[in-house]
Amino acid sequence: MSDSHNAREILLINISGSDRPGITAVLMGILAEYGVRVLDISQAMVHENLALGILIKLPEGSQSASVLKDFLFEAHQLDLRVRFQPVPSDEYQQWVTGQRQPAYVLTLLGRRVTAAQIARIAAVTTDHGLNIEDIVRLSARSPLHEDLNAGRACLELSLRGEPDDPDAMKAQFLSISQEMDIDISFQQDNFYRRNRRLVVFDMDSTLIHEEVIDELAREAGVGEAVAEITAAAMRGEIDFRESLTRRVALLEGLDTAVLSRVAQRLTLTEGADRLLKTLKLLGYRTAVISGGFDFFGEHLQTLLPLDVVHANRLEIVDGRLTGQVREPVIDGERKAELVRSLADEMGIDLAQVIAVGDGANDLPMLGIAGLGIAFHAKPLVQRSARQAISTIGLDGVLYLMGMNDAESPH
């Protein structure tokens, strides 16, 4: 069979125009009438305008001309524009072969998404050998005059290929994120991405705005001393276990009545309530694994649908803190152990775990989870974690899971 015949045999039909119900049914009905084989089809709509692509294998003989004639007539009746593009068989075979290349998903999220951001990101993916196959908006449609401090926008790009230098690409994405106030997530699009089962959270500065130990320190009159140690620990400059020991020692003698007072003034981070309620409704198991204190984790369980809380326990004697923490201390390594234990208990792979945290002591659990997310984290943690959310609320995790606002029950 000649190449010229093959070029006529495979045809790409591009249809565009104003959308209305029934267009796809009518056009596919024409193809069905002639027994046309559909090799691929893709449809998108932007502001009530349809873009429909159909890749077909034409029937042999005189029917080819008839099907195209009838197709054009029906499209004209529907006030649609149609363009036919022959596809050589060798190009089609290359396209089929390309489906076996690795698939990735790149997610852009922030308060808004701009053309400049998309242009920079698209240039980076192209430079590293990746091809954009599809772009989908996951966020709800934005009002023209929305509050940029409260809105959220998200696009998901489907990519094919193998990045030639993943580390260099990540560094470029991080630079764009910092310059253009947007988060960029890049992850492999595989079976596990669509089948997560367990989501674990740090507590302080992740599920809640506050660092509880700093709040307790203010009550004890040692706020500045404890805050300095906390900041150094979050930056990774001090071992977590040592920093915890030093900070808790400064709380010796504090009346336990203060714990309830502090718990009542804790505030949830933006999106925490929506995220947890959505995860619960969809059947995910959720857990707090925190270097903070179990009293406050259990308080959070009264506010959020959390299944499990693992946190440090303050030693109390005669209604006052002794300045000691009971063993075992939950540090970074212990957090990772607890994630493994929960996954084993559920009979799931670690690739099915999502872990979210903000501090250096969260990096071990972020590293072993299939999806590890640094949330509004310090620069060291952002650079070390595979994914980061810094521009919007905690419910941005839903976008990295591939969920869109139209599907969300909350």
Side-chain angles (χ1 to χ4, degrees), residues 257-274:
V258 171
L259 303 185
S260 296
R261 190 158 67 238
V262 168
Q264 293 304 313
R265 66 173 184 252
L266 297 179
T267 54
L268 299 177
T269 54
E270 177 191 353
D273 184 66
R274 175 174 178 256

Side-chain angles (χ1 to χ4, degrees), residues 70-365:
D70 288 355
F71 194 95
L72 277 171
F73 176 80
E74 289 296 342
H76 179 73
Q77 293 293 102
L78 294 166
D79 197 26
L80 297 171
R81 295 175 294 279
V82 177
R83 182 166 62 90
F84 297 118
Q85 178 183 339
V87 178
S89 60
D90 57 346
E91 288 187 12
Y92 175 74
Q93 188 56 45
Q94 287 176 7
W95 175 76
V96 171
T97 303
Q99 297 299 301
R100 293 194 284 270
Q101 289 185 303
Y104 295 92
V105 168
L106 189 151
T107 311
L108 288 69
L109 59 162
R111 295 299 178 186
R112 61 175 180 169
V113 173
T114 68
Q117 295 163 344
I118 298 170
R120 287 279 301 276
I121 291 163
V124 171
T125 58
T126 300
D127 289 345
H128 286 278
L130 296 168
N131 183 56
I132 300 173
E133 290 196 335
D134 196 15
I135 301 177
V136 178
R137 174 175 48 81
L138 298 184
S139 53
R141 295 171 181 171
S142 302
L144 192 58
H145 302 293
E146 70 173 335
D147 180 0
L148 294 182
N149 294 317
R152 57 178 184 260
C154 180
L155 295 178
E156 183 180 270
L157 283 65
S158 298
L159 308 171
R160 285 277 179 186
E162 190 65 72
D164 55 9
D165 190 340
D167 291 337
M169 187 175 68
K170 179 183 177 181
Q172 288 176 279
F173 285 153
L174 184 60
S175 177
I176 294 171
S177 295
Q178 293 168 346
E179 290 174 30
M180 307 191 81
D181 197 28
I182 194 167
D183 294 318
I184 304 169
S185 164
F186 182 80
Q187 50 183 315
Q188 192 166 12
D189 189 13
N190 55 25
F191 170 81
Y192 291 114
R193 177 179 176 263
R194 295 180 292 276
N195 290 277
R196 312 289 190 196
R197 289 291 179 267
L198 170 65
V199 188
V200 299
F201 300 91
D202 179 41
M203 179 171 63
D204 298 31
S205 298
T206 300
L207 280 176
I208 57 174
H209 284 288
E210 297 80 9
E211 287 287 330
V212 167
I213 197 164
D214 291 348
E215 298 298 311
L216 294 175
R218 276 190 278 273
E219 294 283 346
V222 292
E224 288 188 10
V226 167
E228 287 178 9
I229 301 171
T230 299
M234 296 298 287
R235 293 191 299 267
E237 297 170 1
I238 302 175
D239 172 77
F240 176 80
R241 181 181 286 264
E242 177 190 347
S243 69
L244 181 67
T245 300
R246 286 169 54 185
R247 288 178 291 175
V248 172
L250 294 172
L251 303 179
E252 183 180 359
L254 188 65
D255 194 312
T256 55
V258 171
L259 303 185
S260 296
R261 190 158 67 238
V262 168
Q264 293 304 313
R265 66 173 184 252
L266 297 179
T267 54
L268 299 177
T269 54
E270 177 191 353
D273 184 66
R274 175 174 178 256
L275 172 60
L276 267 296
K277 287 179 178 177
T278 300
L279 293 174
K280 181 68 173 180
L281 190 64
L282 296 176
Y284 289 83
R285 195 173 188 203
T286 57
V288 164
I289 300 181
S290 173
F293 307 118
D294 60 351
F295 180 91
F296 302 96
E298 290 162 7
H299 171 74
L300 272 188
Q301 281 187 297
T302 68
L303 305 176
L304 298 170
L306 291 161
D307 296 307
V308 179
V309 170
H310 290 288
N312 288 308
R313 175 161 296 188
L314 293 165
E315 185 178 76
I316 298 171
V317 174
D318 296 330
R320 294 188 179 275
L321 304 187
T322 66
Q324 303 289 322
V325 177
R326 291 187 178 179
E327 294 289 341
V329 171
I330 298 180
D331 56 9
E333 293 307 315
R334 178 61 178 159
K335 285 189 174 191
E337 290 174 12
L338 288 167
V339 169
R340 289 191 183 93
S341 177
L342 288 172
D344 287 345
E345 178 187 319
M346 293 179 65
I348 63 173
D349 194 282
L350 284 171
Q352 294 175 271
V353 178
I354 298 172
V356 189
D358 71 300
N361 65 316
D362 294 311
L363 285 173
M365 76 173 183

